[in-house]
Amino acid sequence: MPLLRLTDQTVFDPADGTGLLLDGTEGAYYELNPVATLMLQAALEYDTTDEAVRHLGTRIDASDAVLREGLTSLTGRLTESHLAEPAP
C-alpha cells in the first residue's frame, strides 16, 4: 500500500510537471510546484518513506534528510486539508 491515497473527492493532475489538486467538495484547486508534484507522486506510488526518499533522490538534488522532511510536511498538509489520507 502506498504511503498516501487521495480522498474520493480529490483529483490530481501532474500535467507539465506542475501538479494541480482539485477538491471536489470545496470546488477549490491547489497548484503544486514541480518538487511537491514529484513528492506527491512518490507518496502515491511507494509503500515506505525510505523507498520514496530513495526514488526522489534520483530526481531531486537534495539530501535524504531534506527530502524526508519535505515529504513528511507535504503529506501532513494534504492530510490536514482532507485532500489525502494515509493509506490503510
Side-chain angles (χ1 to χ4, degrees):
M1 298 238 103
L3 290 171
L4 198 65
R5 78 170 201 82
L6 298 176
T7 57
D8 291 338
Q9 73 271 6
T10 304
V11 176
F12 173 54
D13 180 5
D16 299 328
T18 301
L20 293 175
L21 287 166
L22 173 65
D23 180 346
T25 301
E26 298 291 324
Y29 77 94
Y30 305 88
E31 187 173 328
L32 301 176
N33 67 39
V35 171
T37 300
L38 289 172
M39 287 185 171
L40 178 53
Q41 288 174 311
L44 295 171
E45 182 177 343
Y46 293 96
D47 296 338
T48 68
T49 301
D50 288 340
E51 288 175 324
V53 166
R54 268 194 304 277
H55 169 75
L56 290 167
T58 67
R59 315 261 335 257
I60 301 169
D61 184 21
S63 70
D64 286 358
V66 168
L67 293 172
R68 184 179 304 279
E69 181 180 326
L71 185 62
T72 300
S73 176
L74 176 66
T75 58
R77 282 185 282 167
L78 293 175
T79 301
E80 288 172 10
S81 299
H82 305 288
L83 296 169
E85 53 194 29

